Amino acid sequence: MADITRRFGWRHLRAAPTAHVRHHRSGQLAHDGAGLSFWFRPLAAALSEVPVDDRELAMTFHARTVDFQDVAVQATVTYRIADPAVAAERLDFSVDPDTGVWRGAPLEQLATLLTESAQQHALEVLARTPLAAALAEGVPAVRERVLQGLREEPRLPATGIEVVAVRVMAVRPEPEVERALRTPARELIQQEADRATYERRAVAVERERAIAENELASRIELARREEQLVEQRGANSLREAQEKAAADAVRVGAEAEQAVRLAQAEAEGARAVGEARAQAQAAWLRVHGDVDVAVLRALTGTRLAENLPRIDSVTVSPDVLTGLLARLGAGQEPAA
């Protein structure tokens, strides 16, 4: 939109660099170009402003494939007005001299023209394409056909329009068909996921089995070594017992032999002592056999006195003394 300023019945227009302005004064072309700035009288001026920058037009339309399936096409057409003079003559780009606003809707007319042309070429392509091929390869095919068709469209150059590029974002079926088409792929993905899960579980089970086998093998090896250890301990204990028994036998034999020798020595000593005592007794008897009875009695009393305990005092009653004297007297009489 042009920037118009009022000054004392005059108007000043200042256009953007991307806007081509045509000024007719009393039917004659006074100014023609982009980014102009000039004064004019509103009652004698006819102004038109044509944008010359690249513009994008988004469009969505429906089509039907060869197998009678409806699809929706989302596309964007980039265009520009290459010939502003022709466009200003074919479309109403006139602006109000007081406000600078377009009097009509020229861009909407261009959008309708481009949309109908693009839709026509897209329908021609999709009408010969099955749904599966349209969904798989329809985007580049529709883009190439629409771009070629728009560039060959005779009405666009006649209006001063040049198509810069065409982009097709998607070719989509109806929601029910799309869900139906997604089901096999989802099932396949689910099957792949299940297969991966099963394989992962199988690998985990195999690893657990290997771990269990290793643990079992370790336990078996440990049990075997424990058995060997027990056998070795038994053999060691047996050998130790045998060695101890042999040592005890040797010790007992030595002790028995020593005891026998000791007993023999004791017996020999006892025999020698007995013989010595017998000889002494015989000698004693021989000696006492030749001694007088009175002497023997005196010796007996002496021995008795030696063996009696110590007596500090003795009390002799008259009865005891009388009996003792009587016995002494009786014993001396036969000797006399």
Side-chain angles (χ1 to χ4, degrees):
M1 184 177 67
D3 184 10
I4 297 178
T5 306
R6 300 181 182 182
R7 289 291 186 276
F8 305 108
W10 287 79
R11 302 290 186 270
H12 182 271
L13 183 144
R14 184 175 58 191
T18 57
H20 187 96
V21 177
R22 290 174 62 84
H23 173 214
H24 289 79
R25 184 172 56 237
S26 301
Q28 299 294 325
L29 184 61
H31 299 89
D32 185 14
L36 298 181
S37 177
F38 55 87
W39 290 91
F40 65 94
R41 290 182 177 272
L43 297 179
L47 301 174
S48 62
E49 182 183 16
V50 181
V52 295
D53 57 338
D54 291 349
R55 292 179 174 266
E56 292 188 351
L57 176 62
M59 59 185 70
T60 300
F61 51 87
H62 294 273
R64 178 168 293 183
T65 61
V66 70
D67 47 1
F68 305 103
Q69 298 295 326
D70 292 334
V71 293
V73 180
Q74 297 178 354
T76 301
V77 176
T78 303
Y79 69 95
R80 67 185 180 89
I81 300 176
D83 194 343
V86 175
E89 292 176 357
R90 299 295 299 271
L91 299 175
D92 185 11
F93 282 97
S94 62
V95 297
D96 190 320
D98 292 329
T99 60
V101 180
W102 281 317
R103 295 180 185 272
L107 296 182
E108 294 181 3
Q109 296 177 3
L110 285 178
T112 302
L113 175 62
L114 291 172
T115 301
E116 292 178 353
S117 300
Q119 185 175 0
Q120 177 183 358
H121 299 295
L123 292 178
E124 292 178 358
V125 175
L126 294 175
R128 301 190 303 268
T129 307
L131 177 61
L135 297 179
E137 303 174 357
V139 172
V142 172
R143 182 180 63 247
E144 295 296 332
R145 183 67 184 92
V146 170
L147 180 59
Q148 181 181 0
L150 290 178
R151 287 181 176 177
E152 294 176 355
E153 180 66 34
R155 290 190 302 171
L156 297 181
T159 315
I161 306 302
E162 179 183 355
V163 177
V164 178
V166 175
R167 297 193 303 275
V168 178
M169 276 68 73
V171 177
R172 293 182 177 276
E174 293 182 346
E176 295 81 5
V177 178
E178 187 173 4
R179 284 194 296 269
L181 293 175
R182 287 178 179 176
T183 301
R186 289 183 177 178
E187 291 295 333
L188 182 60
I189 294 173
Q190 186 63 38
Q191 291 177 4
E192 291 295 331
D194 294 341
R195 185 179 61 81
T197 301
Y198 295 150
E199 290 180 354
R200 184 169 62 253
R201 290 180 179 177
V203 171
V205 170
E206 183 65 22
R207 290 179 178 176
E208 291 179 358
R209 185 187 63 79
I211 293 173
E213 289 182 354
N214 292 334
E215 291 180 354
L216 182 60
S218 299
R219 291 179 181 179
I220 293 174
E221 181 64 21
L222 181 60
R224 187 180 63 81
R225 293 185 179 183
E226 289 180 354
E227 182 180 1
Q228 293 179 355
L229 180 61
V230 170
E231 292 178 357
Q232 186 65 34
R233 286 180 177 176
N236 294 338
S237 300
L238 178 61
R239 185 169 61 254
E240 183 180 358
Q242 291 175 352
E243 292 178 356
K244 184 177 180 181
D248 291 341
V250 173
R251 180 177 57 79
V252 169
E255 290 179 355
E257 184 178 357
Q258 183 178 2
V260 169
R261 291 179 181 178
L262 180 61
Q264 291 177 355
E266 289 179 353
E268 186 69 22
R271 185 180 62 78
V273 171
E275 291 179 356
R277 287 181 179 179
Q279 293 177 2
Q281 187 67 25
W284 185 80
L285 290 176
R286 287 194 302 272
V287 171
H288 286 78
D290 298 335
V291 178
D292 188 42
V293 175
V295 176
L296 292 175
R297 290 179 176 177
L299 291 174
T300 300
T302 303
R303 290 288 183 87
L304 181 62
E306 291 177 354
N307 295 324
L308 289 176
R310 182 180 177 181
I311 300 174
D312 294 333
S313 63
V314 178
T315 302
V316 180
S317 63
D319 295 335
V320 173
L321 181 61
T322 301
L324 181 60
L325 293 177
R327 292 179 180 179
L328 292 174
Q332 290 178 359
E333 286 179 0

